[in-house]
Amino acid sequence: GESVGLHLPTLSVQEGDNSIINCAYSNSASDYFIWYKQESGKGPQFIIDIRSNMDKRQGQRVTVLLNKTVKHLSLQIAATQPADSAVYFCAEIPNAGGTSYGKLTFGQGTILTVHP
Amino acid sequence: DTEVTQTPKHLVMGMTNKKSLKCEQHMGHRAMYWYKQKAKKPPELMFVYSYEKLSINESVPSRFSPECPNSSLLNLHLHALQPEDSALYLCASSQGTLQPQHFGDGTRLSIL
């Protein structure tokens, strides 16, 4: 999603629904992408990652899709639970000359709210 | 609970004080990071250490001084901070620089 002013994009779903969180990235040289979940009062928690030589990767209840043509990343959460409520960030690392030095850049984030 | 431990969890300091934030990991990770996060914003990279050497400084003011005493510890020394430096300071570590970064829960810093 795209941020508008100081307000993070939001997604509200019912428990049991599938959720899709979108992210547009800007650096076509980015080689590695990560999705993080951040709950209130905690640090970002790693969910799943994907490298630029892949277009899909699945984890437990989560799937990440990468479309390099349009520089778009999405996170799909199956059977969303109230415990999934959090801010979700996509993040990217460029691979400049084969050495990225871990320069992780975060997107603006999306607030996911799951209603029981 | 995270495997990256940050202390203290909260810190209130005046603009003339000197304090330090501490970060510790025992996962054998060789890259460690400091980030700053303001409310309702994403984390912003400040410093990267790789094999205990500073490899990235994202033009951070000199009132923030990082230190990596060994491969498990990362400190951030603070001196003469400004009210706008109030934020959540996050530490992270990773096995390599193209590997997932694992974050601590941060130190919430308030500058009076």
Side-chain angles (χ1 to χ4, degrees):
Chain A
E2 296 180 0
S3 61
V4 178
L6 294 176
H7 303 286
L8 293 175
T10 59
L11 175 64
S12 289
V13 301
Q14 291 296 128
E15 181 177 3
D17 287 353
N18 296 332
S19 302
I20 300 176
I21 300 171
N22 296 302
C23 177
Y25 64 93
S26 56
N27 189 344
S28 57
S30 287
D31 191 52
Y32 179 55
F33 303 87
I34 308 175
W35 279 100
Y36 285 96
K37 170 188 180 183
Q38 188 172 25
E39 298 173 275
S40 180
K42 299 204 167 192
Q45 176 187 356
F46 170 80
I47 301 173
I48 193 167
D49 59 356
I50 189 168
R51 296 189 187 273
S52 60
N53 61 352
M54 303 172 70
D55 53 20
K56 180 178 179 179
R57 190 156 189 236
Q58 288 186 286
Q60 187 177 12
R61 270 201 316 122
V62 295
T63 300
V64 55
L65 299 177
L66 174 62
N67 185 330
K68 295 182 286 294
T69 303
V70 294
K71 292 188 285 188
H72 184 266
L73 195 65
S74 69
L75 177 71
Q76 300 177 3
I77 305 174
T80 319
Q81 309 291 315
D84 295 326
S85 296
V87 179
Y88 288 79
F89 292 102
C90 64
E92 59 184 299
I93 294 181
N95 189 3
T99 307
S100 71
Y101 299 106
K103 198 167 178 176
L104 192 64
T105 302
F106 283 79
Q108 289 304 303
T110 296
I111 301 172
L112 174 65
T113 303
V114 183
H115 301 282
Chain B
D1 290 340
T2 68
E3 295 176 87
V4 176
T5 303
Q6 291 188 244
T7 56
K9 293 190 186 306
H10 303 275
L11 179 62
V12 180
M13 58 187 285
M15 288 189 284
T16 59
N17 292 157
K18 283 186 183 181
K19 295 285 185 184
S20 297
L21 309 185
K22 296 188 182 301
C23 175
E24 189 168 3
Q25 57 88 14
H26 294 290
M27 295 179 281
H29 290 174
R30 301 316 298 262
M32 296 187 76
Y33 312 81
W34 280 114
Y35 289 82
K36 174 182 178 180
Q37 186 176 25
K38 301 284 274 186
K40 300 188 187 300
K41 293 288 189 182
E44 294 180 340
L45 183 66
M46 299 174 71
F47 301 104
V48 179
Y49 272 83
S50 180
Y51 289 87
E52 300 161 47
K53 295 195 185 311
L54 182 65
S55 58
I56 293 181
N57 175 341
E58 288 285 271
S59 302
V60 179
S62 60
R63 57 187 184 267
F64 295 92
S65 175
E67 178 197 18
C68 188
N70 61 55
S71 60
S72 300
L73 294 174
L74 187 66
N75 298 323
L76 186 63
H77 302 299
L78 314 173
H79 175 53
L81 295 195
Q82 304 297 308
E84 61 266 27
D85 296 323
S86 297
L88 180 68
Y89 288 84
L90 293 161
C91 173
S93 70
S94 65
Q95 191 169 14
T97 49
L98 270 181
Q99 300 289 331
Q101 293 180 22
H102 297 270
F103 286 79
D105 285 335
T107 294
R108 187 158 301 281
L109 177 66
S110 298
I111 306 300
L112 302 178

